[in-house]
């Protein structure tokens, strides 16, 4: 089964020195996506959505803890 390491790209983007470097990281992800077959694109999208929800929940939890 396919599994995508979105955390790797997320950390690289957070540590990017320039906007151009961030754009290049996004381009890598887009190129990888475009190279996938339809079934793999479905898995990619599902895993990306799950990753984003987990990251949002973690950020929200920290924000709530700080503000309470």
């Amino acid at each position: 089964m396919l599994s995508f390491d979105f955390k790797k790209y997320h950390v690289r983007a957070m540590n990017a020195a320039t906007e151009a470097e961030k754009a290049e990281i996004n381009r890598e992800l887009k190129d990888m996506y475009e190279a996938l077959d339809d079934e793999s694109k479905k898995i990619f999208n599902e895993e990306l959505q799950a990753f984003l929800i987990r990251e949002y929940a973690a950020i929200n939890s920290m924000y709530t803890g700080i503000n309470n």
Side-chain angles (χ1 to χ4, degrees):
M1 174 162 178
L2 285 175
S3 184
F4 300 97
D5 185 5
F6 295 111
K7 186 76 169 184
K8 173 179 76 172
Y9 292 97
H10 179 63
V11 170
R12 283 179 55 212
M14 286 188 328
N15 293 318
T18 64
E19 289 301 315
E21 189 177 351
K22 286 181 186 179
E24 178 59 32
I25 294 164
N26 284 334
R27 171 61 30 211
E28 285 178 39
L29 274 170
K30 288 178 183 180
D31 290 346
M32 177 177 39
Y33 180 81
E34 290 301 319
L36 298 172
D37 61 35
D38 287 342
E39 184 59 33
S40 297
K41 284 180 180 179
K42 182 179 181 223
I43 294 167
F44 180 99
N45 289 331
E46 290 169 353
E47 289 187 12
L48 178 57
Q49 194 170 40
F51 173 77
L52 293 172
I53 290 168
R54 279 191 311 273
E55 289 299 307
Y56 175 78
I59 291 168
N60 188 44
S61 176
M62 284 185 254
Y63 179 79
T64 301
I66 290 169
N67 288 312
N68 286 332

